[in-house]
Amino acid sequence: MTETAPGNQPWCLDDFTRPTAATGTGTAWRCFTDQVMGGVSRARASHEQLGGSAALCLKGEVSLANNGGFVQVALDLSPDGGFVDVSPWSGVALTVRGKDQKWHVHLRTVDCRRPWQSYRAGFTAPREWSGVWLPFSAFEAHRLDAPLATDAVRRLGIVAIGAPGTVEIAVARVEMCAR
């Protein structure tokens, strides 16, 4: 388990000012698509400067062909592959912009033993930089029965899933915080 800052202070996972390891975790964002399970969706992630903000940009094409349908960027929260206790906070805050498309944040915990299991909360990425607040209570279990274990979170993903077409999002900040 990785120790984190006290719950009253936000824990900045990344502000994208460093192009390699994330600011607060020491781990790197990775880009995944449904190709890991035979799908044909495509995506590319890059660090860019947009409107004066450093950002992680994910651009791709979601295809439902071949039982596919997602693109994502994901961040392991602990450099040793373990889990992190995020229970001192009450949710995830993002600063994003996009094309008014639906996105999700997926959390994976120690209870997520299969690749398709996660806890999911959706949001829309507007055309202008905007803050998004996702309380842990908004995350729904997907293909598992266990409640969200905020004391044992392994990974956070930003995902476009289930809707075919061209997708694009820029993320300037990701943090755990209380509201």
Side-chain angles (χ1 to χ4, degrees), residues 4-92:
T4 57
N8 290 341
Q9 298 297 316
W11 176 32
C12 178
L13 302 180
D14 210 343
D15 61 6
F16 304 99
T17 55
R18 297 190 307 186
T20 53
T23 306
T25 64
T27 62
W29 289 90
R30 293 182 290 159
C31 184
F32 294 96
T33 71
D34 55 25
Q35 291 181 16
V36 298
M37 55 179 246
V40 296
S41 298
R42 294 169 306 166
R44 177 179 67 84
S46 60
H47 282 80
E48 299 180 20
Q49 287 287 326
L50 298 173
S53 295
L56 177 66
C57 298
L58 176 62
K59 299 175 184 178
E61 185 74 28
V62 176
S63 172
L64 303 181
N66 215 25
N67 293 318
F70 75 87
V71 300
Q72 76 169 308
V73 286
L75 181 70
D76 289 334
L77 299 186
S78 176
D80 65 4
F83 62 89
V84 173
D85 182 354
V86 299
S87 64
W89 297 278
S90 55
V92 179

